[in-house]
Amino acid sequence: MTRAGRFLHANGLTLVFGTAFVLALAGQAVTGHADFNNQLVAEQLHPVSFGGYLLTSDFAVDVTENWQSEYLQFFLYIFGTVWLLQKGSPESKKLDKAGPEADEDQKVGRYAKPDSPRWASAGGVRQAWYSRSLGTLMCTLFLLSWLTQSITGVAAYNEEHLRELQAPISWFEYLGAADFWNRTLQNWQSELLAVGSMAIFSVYLRQRGSPESKPVGSAHTSTGVEGG
C-alpha cells in the first residue's frame, strides 16, 4: 500500500465525513440562496447574488443553529456518560464504573504508559484540564456557536421586520423572543431524542462490525461492550 493509501485508510472516517460536510454545506448554500431569493421576489425586492447570500445573516443563522445543537449533544453525552448508565447499552460504561474512575483505570499519573500523552503523566492543573479537555472543547464550541446564532439571528429577525416596516429589537430583547427559542429548542429536542434512542435501541439491536454496536452474539444485558 502506498503512503497516500495508508493515510486514506488510517483517516477514512474523518475524511469521508469531512467531505460529506463540505458537500452538504455547499448544497445548503445553493438551495438556501434560491429560497431566499424566492422570498425577496415575492416581496417585490431585488434578489441577491450567491456571494451576497453567503454574507447574509439568514445563511449564518441557519448554519450556526444546527452547529450549536450538535455540539450541545456531544457535550452533554460526553459529560453525562461519566455518571449516567444504561444497562445493556454499548453507549454506557459498565454499571460499576460510574464516575471519573481511578487513576489506574484512566492510566494517568504514575499509571501512565510510555505512549500515553505527556499531560496524562503530569500532575496538577495540566492533568486536570487534559482529563476534561474533550468535554471542555465541546462545551466551548457549543457556547460560541450558540452566541453566534443569537447575533446572526437577531440580525435576520430585524431584517425581516424592517422589510415589513416594523421596528427592530435589541440583542437582549431577541434572547427572550419566541423566534430565538423556537430555533433553539427545535434543534435541542431532536438531538436529545437521537441520543436517547441510540442508547436504548443499541441494547437490543446490532450492527455487525460497528464499534457503536455490541457484537452480534452479545447478551442484551451486556453493558459497555463494543464491537469492532
Side-chain angles (χ1 to χ4, degrees):
M1 184 181 291
T2 65
R3 183 175 181 179
R6 289 195 298 271
F7 177 82
L8 292 174
H9 178 73
N11 297 278
L13 191 60
T14 299
L15 293 172
V16 168
F17 277 91
T19 301
F21 161 73
V22 172
L23 292 175
L25 184 62
Q28 178 187 349
V30 171
T31 55
H33 174 237
D35 182 59
F36 186 70
N37 277 340
N38 287 340
Q39 295 179 35
L40 292 179
V41 170
E43 297 171 7
Q44 298 183 334
L45 299 172
H46 293 293
V48 300
S49 66
F50 181 70
Y53 172 70
L54 296 182
L55 299 177
T56 63
S57 54
D58 284 75
F59 176 66
V61 71
D62 286 343
V63 171
T64 55
E65 74 178 39
N66 286 289
W67 288 6
Q68 60 90 5
S69 64
E70 297 297 336
Y71 285 122
L72 174 66
Q73 174 194 143
F74 287 123
F75 163 62
L76 292 178
Y77 203 61
I78 289 167
F79 272 99
T81 51
V82 173
W83 296 97
L84 301 178
L85 307 169
Q86 174 58 58
K87 183 177 180 180
S89 176
E91 301 297 314
S92 167
K93 296 191 295 184
K94 294 183 182 296
L95 300 182
D96 61 346
K97 293 291 185 178
E101 302 181 16
D103 287 355
E104 184 175 5
D105 293 330
Q106 289 292 309
K107 301 177 183 178
V108 297
R110 62 191 181 93
Y111 298 104
K113 304 298 182 182
D115 59 349
S116 295
R118 183 186 305 174
W119 282 18
S121 58
V125 175
R126 287 185 298 170
Q127 185 193 114
W129 179 84
Y130 187 70
S131 297
R132 297 161 180 82
S133 56
L134 181 59
T136 301
L137 175 63
M138 292 301 164
C139 181
T140 302
L141 292 173
F142 159 64
L143 293 175
L144 289 175
S145 55
W146 198 20
L147 173 63
T148 305
Q149 177 203 333
S150 70
I151 294 171
T152 56
V154 70
Y157 184 84
N158 282 335
E159 286 175 8
E160 182 179 348
H161 276 225
L162 287 172
R163 291 200 298 267
E164 298 172 353
L165 303 180
Q166 298 182 36
I169 64 175
S170 69
W171 179 68
F172 284 106
E173 289 175 316
Y174 182 68
L175 293 182
D179 182 81
F180 175 66
W181 286 103
N182 179 51
R183 286 178 176 274
T184 295
L185 293 174
Q186 67 178 305
N187 283 283
W188 287 7
Q189 57 87 14
S190 63
E191 299 303 331
L192 294 171
L193 174 64
V195 171
S197 298
M198 181 64 180
I200 191 62
F201 290 159
S202 60
V203 174
Y204 302 103
L205 304 178
R206 309 286 188 269
Q207 181 59 54
R208 184 168 183 164
S210 175
E212 298 304 312
S213 167
K214 293 185 288 189
V216 178
S218 293
H220 293 326
T221 55
S222 298
T223 305
V225 178
E226 296 181 345

